[in-house]
Amino acid sequence: EDQVTQSPEALRLQEGESSSLNCSYTVSGLRGLFWYRQDPGKGPEFLFTLYSAGEEKEKERLKATLTKKESFLHITAPKPEDSATYLCAVLLSGGYQKVTFGIGTKLQVIP
Amino acid sequence: NAGVTQTPKFQVLKTGQSMTLQCAQDMNHEYMSWYRQDPGMGLRLIHYSVGAGITDQGEVPNGYNVSRSTTEDFPLRLLSAAPSQTSVYFCAVSPSTNYGYTFGSGTRLTVV
């Protein structure tokens, strides 16, 4: 069974304290991995797509990396406005819409 | 451009009632999907469409119907609402399979 596990479930950081969120997956065939940000009461907002092991993408204070078994979302010197739930999703082989989402990591950045 | 517009934002239904959740996009994307989001669970796919006139079931399709007569609109119909359908519903669009989604702002549905 295809599984996506995100850890930790929740993370509290001081402003400026860098850290990483993890997304590990056990799937039959990976075509890609997505990261999203979700603010309370809103729909997820697309951040990155990673397609192959070793690939990295950056956007402001965020950097996403991918290995054969997991992905990391590194947050460098976070600010309070980075507080949100971060979701990862894997795009599976075998046809359209085989996308499995993780439950997410709720990040709180304290001033 | 509005992107993806969902209406209504909130809805309370009684068990057995029917209703339609609306989703409209102005991005001219072929792929449209409906997801539900429940506490402690990842987003789960209900139905999806790869273009006008083409729809298919996702992971949790029971109790829901869809149709896609135009590129822009993809309504989700609840046939006979049940408390288990209390959830937040998101419409998502993408230009193709390998691209991330653009999500709407969601409809929070409560069935009593």
Side-chain angles (χ1 to χ4, degrees):
Chain A
E1 182 182 343
D2 299 316
Q3 278 196 319
V4 178
T5 304
Q6 292 190 245
S7 61
E9 290 186 9
L11 182 62
R12 196 173 181 188
L13 299 174
Q14 290 292 131
E15 183 173 1
E17 179 187 3
S18 301
S19 188
S20 296
L21 313 182
N22 178 261
C23 173
S24 63
Y25 54 88
T26 307
V27 299
S28 51
L30 181 76
R31 289 169 57 188
L33 185 142
F34 305 110
W35 282 98
Y36 293 87
R37 170 195 170 121
Q38 186 173 22
D39 293 299
K42 296 190 176 181
E45 175 189 350
F46 172 73
L47 293 173
F48 304 111
T49 308
L50 301 166
Y51 293 107
S52 57
E55 189 175 0
E56 298 183 352
K57 294 273 180 74
E58 286 190 65
K59 181 180 180 180
E60 296 180 355
R61 294 176 293 282
L62 301 177
K63 183 168 82 172
T65 61
L66 181 65
T67 72
K68 289 186 178 180
K69 294 185 176 181
E70 59 192 347
S71 177
F72 292 94
L73 185 66
H74 307 278
I75 304 176
T76 302
K79 297 182 178 182
E81 53 262 41
D82 295 321
S83 298
T85 296
Y86 291 85
L87 306 174
C88 78
V90 295
L91 174 64
L92 306 175
S93 301
Y96 174 68
Q97 285 295 22
K98 292 185 73 69
V99 175
T100 300
F101 280 84
I103 296 173
T105 293
K106 186 174 183 179
L107 174 66
Q108 184 182 15
V109 182
I110 303 164
Chain B
N1 290 346
V4 181
T5 302
Q6 288 186 239
T7 56
K9 292 191 183 302
F10 302 94
Q11 183 71 48
V12 178
L13 287 179
K14 293 183 178 179
T15 298
Q17 286 184 318
S18 63
M19 78 160 294
T20 299
L21 280 64
Q22 301 291 346
C23 175
Q25 56 129 342
D26 62 2
M27 305 176 77
N28 201 33
H29 287 337
E30 291 296 327
Y31 298 86
M32 298 185 76
S33 306
W34 278 102
Y35 282 87
R36 60 178 289 173
Q37 188 174 40
D38 301 292
M41 304 186 75
L43 286 155
R44 291 182 293 167
L45 180 65
I46 304 171
H47 285 285
Y48 66 96
S49 170
V50 299
I54 307 169
T55 64
D56 206 346
Q57 296 181 350
E59 180 185 356
V60 288
N62 292 341
Y64 308 94
N65 266 357
V66 293
S67 60
R68 181 119 178 254
S69 56
T70 67
T71 298
E72 293 79 20
D73 299 298
F74 190 42
L76 178 72
R77 298 181 187 83
L78 278 69
L79 309 173
S80 177
S84 61
Q85 293 178 304
T86 293
S87 187
V88 181
Y89 291 84
F90 290 102
C91 178
V93 306
S94 66
S96 74
T97 304
N98 290 348
Y99 285 83
Y101 296 125
T102 299
F103 282 87
S105 57
T107 295
R108 183 174 294 273
L109 176 68
T110 302
V111 183
V112 298

